[in-house]
Amino acid sequence: MSEPHRFDRGHTDDLMTFLAASPTPYHAVANTAERLEKAGFKQVAETDAWDGSSGGKYVLRGGAIIAWYVPESAAPHTPYRIAGAHTDSPNLRVKPLPDAGAHGWRQVAVEIYGGPLMNSWLDRDLGLAGRLTLRDGSTRLVNVDRPLLRVPQLAIHLDRSVSSEGLKLDKQRHLQPVWGLGDTVRDGDLIAFLESENDLAAGEVTGWDLMVHSVEPPAYLGRDKELVAGPRMDNLLSVHAGTAALAAVATGGGQLPCIPVLAAFDHEENGSQSDTGADGPLLGSVLERSVFARGGSYEDKARAFAGTVCLSSDTGHAVHPNYAERHDPTHHPRINGGPILKVNVNNRYATDGSGRAVWAAACERAGVPFQSFVSNNSMPCGTTIGPITAARHGIKTVDIGVAILSMHSARELCGVDDPHLLANALVAFLEG
């Protein structure tokens, strides 16, 4: 097997480009597909018959992408090595009847998606992006990446209690953004605006999946630029690392004892229960069809799944200097200390001792340090696609990721080195 690929800080530069270009899950998977195409991958349609040819392939469905590389030596029972991630992030999403307003203001009606830090969306310049569905059934990605909307905070003079009692936001009343002035709310204005912005005929749009995003670009931060501030690191940081790692493995020329896979799902932030979520059938269907396309049987599929390992890569919590008591006292992951292994004995994470050994071996081969994370016993633990993948497919799964601050904020914070350290570890893992 060849020596593992070595990403460096140039990987972090590229991550910032990827974050800025991916304001929605639909843009994220389109950008992922474009990068994989440059590495020789080809899209396959779920409605077509698949063949057993070798090489890189991928399936797109909504805001999810499954990509895999079949070596020429692969047998029907060859196991998979899966880098799992998710493409969605908590945000504000446009309602079916988007045109709203009152008291001379024109507003856009939004729903709260996932569990955002709601105060982080206040007083930011916001753009609008997503997917439009046209009368002929086709879709169009759109991105108004300029200051278009804003959720204005109430002035302190009108809420003196905010200093003593803290900010209290009602999800229905206080987070509807403004985008103009006018005494009359006109149904269809927002969609008509997007049709005009994208050279579409009036009335051509019949469906939409739209969400707001901060237009402030990612940036290096700190005296020595050791940090990166930017949107959607949870979890496009892992999607980007997995994409880079899969492309490196597919073009590396080494002999692979496994089939490397990238599985980037939508809807993790609200439970993964959708046709594009980790709790849906997409991953299992793709892996099974790949086995059968190579002439395999049910027995071959069972053998392949039994030998398969998935790394569920999602961001985790770095120790916060102002709230260190919220962390476990003996587990304090630090920024730029390397990716983290996430453990929870109640299976909120899927890691066990044998999974830890797989991760440790990959990191050792890549020359990457790693840290361990467990939650404070007195606080609830989050979860990921890891336990879902393990339970749904019977696949050994290990939860890992990069430690960040401000998780679920409109603008999160990571270390400049951790993204490329994660990518290097994923290369070593995917190589088997």
Side-chain angles (χ1 to χ4, degrees), residues 218-297:
Y220 288 108
L221 185 144
R223 184 193 66 181
D224 299 317
K225 298 183 178 180
E226 299 169 296
L227 304 168
V228 178
R232 299 175 294 280
M233 292 182 182
D234 178 14
N235 185 35
L236 293 188
L237 189 158
S238 294
V239 175
H240 176 261
T243 303
L246 180 60
V249 171
T251 58
Q255 294 296 314
L256 299 176
C258 60
I259 296 173
V261 180
L262 170 67
F265 301 100
D266 201 353
H267 301 132
E268 188 272 349
E269 297 293 355
N270 62 7
S272 296
Q273 292 185 322
S274 71
D275 69 323
T276 53
D279 204 18
L282 182 58
L283 177 62
S285 174
V286 168
L287 300 185
E288 288 177 356
R289 290 184 69 178
S290 178
V291 169
F292 298 151
R294 285 176 279 121
S297 62

Side-chain angles (χ1 to χ4, degrees), residues 135-264:
R135 286 191 177 277
D136 62 4
S138 64
T139 58
R140 177 80 65 89
L141 295 185
V142 295
N143 183 11
V144 183
D145 196 31
R146 68 175 189 271
L148 180 69
L149 307 117
R150 188 178 179 91
V151 182
Q153 188 171 185
L154 184 65
I156 192 170
H157 312 81
L158 304 178
D159 184 14
R160 295 290 186 180
S161 66
V162 70
S163 295
S164 58
E165 299 178 14
L167 180 65
K168 298 177 182 178
L169 295 173
D170 182 279
K171 293 180 179 180
Q172 178 63 37
R173 294 183 296 127
H174 298 152
L175 291 171
Q176 308 306 310
V178 300
W179 75 306
L181 301 174
D183 291 319
T184 303
V185 175
R186 295 186 295 270
D187 290 341
D189 266 6
L190 181 67
I191 300 307
F193 165 76
L194 291 173
E195 288 172 334
S196 176
E197 283 278 306
N198 292 278
D199 297 321
L200 295 169
E204 193 170 352
V205 174
T206 57
W208 52 87
D209 302 279
L210 299 167
M211 55 202 78
V212 305
H213 64 278
S214 171
V215 299
E216 184 180 5
Y220 288 108
L221 185 144
R223 184 193 66 181
D224 299 317
K225 298 183 178 180
E226 299 169 296
L227 304 168
V228 178
R232 299 175 294 280
M233 292 182 182
D234 178 14
N235 185 35
L236 293 188
L237 189 158
S238 294
V239 175
H240 176 261
T243 303
L246 180 60
V249 171
T251 58
Q255 294 296 314
L256 299 176
C258 60
I259 296 173
V261 180
L262 170 67

